[in-house]
Each structure stands twice: as C-alpha cells, then as structure tokens.
Amino acid sequence: MQRRVRIFNDIPWRAVLTTNYDLCLKGRTPNCDHIGSVYEAALRAGIPGIGESLTAILPSTPIVKLHGCVEKGNIVFTRSGYRRLLYKDFGYQVFLKSLMASYTMVSLGHSGTDNYINEFRSEALTMFGGKTSTPLGYCVAPVSDGEASFSRDHDGIAFLSWDVDHDGFGVFDQILERLRKATSPHARMYTMLQGRRILLVDSPHSRPKGGWQLIDLAITLFQILPSAIIHLLESSDGLKATVAQAASDVAPYDVILQVFDEYSTHLELEAHRKSALDYDLPFAVIESDSQENQRGITALRGCDRVVCSIADTAEYLFQLFEQNMLLHGFDSSEN
C-alpha cells in the first residue's frame, strides 16, 4: 500500500476527490471553513510548467473529501446527509459539475454507485450533445467487455480493465505506474537522464541571473537521478580539451551549459561552431548578472538556447533529451 501511495502522489493530479472517510488522504470536506479556496485551486489555478515541476516546491494538490472525514466530521451516509450536501453546502454542485465538464476524471476504485455523481456526469454529457471526442473520464477497474463497451458508448467513461481471475489485482498497480510514467515530469526525467552526460561551465566573473548557482542545478538533477553524470568546470579554460577527452576516452557529452561570461562565451561559441565534431553537441548559454549580459547574448552566434532561471534550464534539458529520444524511436513515458 505504501508503494501505491508513493506512485499516486507522484502523479500530477489537478485535484483529488475521494468519497472515503479514512485518513489515507487528508483534505477538506465541503462543509469545512475555507473550502472555497480549495475549489478555486482545483478549478482556476494555473498548471505549472515542466521546469517548475522539476525544480520548485509546488503547492499541494487540492484534496476534497466529498463525503466527510473521520477527523473533520461532516460524514455523509444518510439521505438527510446527502440532501444537506447537495442543497445546503454552498457551491458544492457548481464545483463538481464544473470540474466534470472541464477536466477528465480518473476513477480509482470508486464503486460508481453514487447516483448524484452519475447524474452530474450525464448532465455534462448531454451538454456536449451526448458524445465527446474523448472520454469524460476513465475508470480503472476489472469489468466485463460488455460493461466496458456500454459505459463507453452511453456514459462517456472508458474503462482500463483486465481479467482479474487471470491476472489478479496487481494489474491495478501496473496501470497506476504507467500513468505515473506518462504524466510525471520527475518520472520522465528520471528515464531521460540515464546515460546522459552533462557539462556545466561556470564563470569566474559572473553568476547565473537571479542568484542561483550551477551546483543548485546539479543537486536538482541528482535528486531526480542520483547516478546522473554531471561535470562542472569552474571556468571555460580547457573546455575544448575537456570535450575532446570525453569523446575520446569515455563518451561524448550530450550538452554544454555555460554561464554567460563577457570575456569568454562568444569565443567558446565561435570555436564550438567551427569545430569539426562528428556528433551533435548542443551548446546553451545561461544568462548571468554580468553588466554585458543583454548586449553580449544578443550578439552571440551558434548558441542553441538561452536560458535564465534554474527552472528554464531544467525544462530545456527535459525538452532536449525528450526530442533526442523521440528521434531515436523511444518514448520517455513508456519506459
């Protein structure tokens, strides 16, 4: 169960709704104070970029315990409780209907017997003309082929199902793991960093713009993959020799990232541009606090990308490695 919870928590859900009363997931109930801020976070908060997801401490996923909680109370299991929930708890219906109409729902282990939830989904399906180009939601549960087909055609729900008698209940965790690998930037970056060789080049005259350091980037990448191969040069002195030695003795670097230095970056880029490498070696420049940063970067030639923050840099690496994998017929979300 602990492994399942870890996998679940690594999936970047927009929001989590649970009808369970237990404390496996902690969140607010519809009758809690300040529930409006949770509804707002679920419906209106922006989606963090890949770089932010890899480097920042993000706000926790909003969790709503629809039918109450053993800790906070407001437990719903009687008809009067359901009536209070639906007709007296301000905004509950609006929240749930808005969520169902705007986002794809994924049901994990839910029985599907809450009639009002099914009615809300039917309203959304009717609003869309009875059919949608993609399912309103997915349900991970072992059901018959007939039930899955009927649900897809008439309820807008696609089942991710399996033969439980043949395969057992372990398939549930396999599906959850595949979902994590397909959606989690951390999980995908973990795959893409394997075997990659990254060369970071610092400057003795300036620091990355915003006050961060290259070691911060290295720590972030090591936290994703402890065995990541990251080398750090304190200056560009000997950069060409370092690149050549790596290609000759071990394996070529996959990317160079250099902090902009008004004295050396343009020279290193020019030498890199004229070098006769028999492999592709992207060279990106990180904006610095140098007074010549803006003017100098504008004049650079041969630079593959200019990045600024640590999040920008992490996202650049993510996109670079993902593109490389796709060019070679691999998909980071399937490994």
Side-chain angles (χ1 to χ4, degrees), residues 8 13 18 48 57 88 112 115 132 144 168 180 186 197 215 217 235 241 251 258 260 262 275 286 297-298 312 326-327:
F8 178 88
W13 307 107
T18 177
I57 299 176
K88 290 188 177 181
N115 291 332
T132 56
S144 66
R180 182 186 75 92
H186 276 87
R197 297 171 58 81
I215 191 64
L217 175 63
S235 74
Q258 180 178 9
F260 176 77
E262 58 186 285
S275 63
I286 300 169
I297 283 180
T298 303
D312 290 340
L326 291 174
L327 286 173

Side-chain angles (χ1 to χ4, degrees), residues 9-276:
N9 288 335
D10 199 29
I11 297 173
W13 307 107
R14 183 172 188 87
V16 174
L17 314 179
T18 177
T19 56
N20 295 338
Y21 313 134
D22 59 36
L23 299 178
C24 185
L25 293 173
K26 293 190 176 183
R28 293 179 184 170
T29 73
N31 203 37
C32 281
D33 293 336
H34 309 297
I35 187 62
S37 63
V38 180
Y39 290 167
E40 181 182 10
L43 291 170
R44 298 176 63 87
I47 299 175
I50 289 174
E52 290 178 293
S53 298
L54 293 172
T55 60
I57 299 176
L58 301 175
S60 58
T61 300
I63 298 175
V64 182
K65 301 182 75 74
L66 301 180
H67 294 169
C69 172
V70 293
E71 182 179 60
K72 293 182 168 56
N74 309 316
I75 291 178
V76 176
F77 57 84
T78 64
R79 290 189 177 184
S80 62
Y82 277 101
R83 284 196 296 269
R84 184 183 66 251
L85 176 68
L86 293 173
Y87 306 116
K88 290 188 177 181
D89 286 343
F90 181 73
Y92 179 74
Q93 284 201 44
V94 175
F95 164 69
L96 209 52
K97 289 180 180 180
S98 300
L99 205 64
M100 288 185 171
S102 303
Y103 302 101
T104 302
M105 311 290 284
V106 178
S107 175
L108 303 173
H110 184 249
S111 65
T113 58
D114 293 293
N115 291 332
Y116 79 92
I117 293 178
N118 295 333
E119 286 298 319
F120 289 172
R121 186 176 60 248
S122 294
E123 286 185 30
L125 193 60
T126 301
M127 179 177 68
F128 296 134
K131 281 193 174 183
T132 56
S133 57
T134 56
L136 289 179
Y138 293 87
C139 184
V140 181
V143 298
S144 66
D145 292 343
E147 184 178 347
S149 178
F150 182 91
S151 181
R152 182 177 59 249
D153 294 340
H154 300 284
D155 297 328
I157 298 295
F159 271 89
L160 303 178
S161 186
W162 67 96
D163 185 345
V164 69
D165 292 330
H166 182 270
D167 300 312
F169 286 99
V171 176
F172 181 93
D173 295 296
Q174 294 175 21
I175 293 174
L176 203 60
E177 175 66 15
R178 291 189 65 181
L179 183 60
R180 182 186 75 92
K181 288 183 176 181
T183 60
S184 167
H186 276 87
R188 295 171 66 186
M189 192 64 161
Y190 175 91
T191 298
M192 293 189 293
L193 276 175
Q194 295 180 28
R196 300 293 181 187
R197 297 171 58 81
I198 301 170
L199 181 59
L200 306 179
V201 185
D202 213 338
S203 165
H205 308 107
S206 54
R207 296 178 60 182
K209 195 173 182 180
W212 61 280
Q213 301 181 56
L214 290 184
I215 191 64
D216 299 325
L217 175 63
I219 290 172
T220 295
L221 298 177
F222 283 134
Q223 288 174 338
I224 296 172
L225 180 66
S227 61
I229 303 171
I230 304 167
H231 297 159
L232 175 60
L233 296 180
E234 294 184 354
S235 74
S236 61
D237 294 343
L239 173 58
K240 184 176 180 180
T242 300
V243 170
Q245 183 176 0
S248 173
D249 296 348
V250 186
Y253 285 107
D254 292 282
V255 61
I256 298 172
L257 287 156
Q258 180 178 9
V259 176
F260 176 77
D261 184 292
E262 58 186 285
Y263 302 103
S264 66
T265 300
H266 65 289
L267 297 174
E268 295 297 345
L269 272 172
E270 184 67 16
H272 182 72
R273 192 170 64 87
K274 292 181 177 179
S275 63

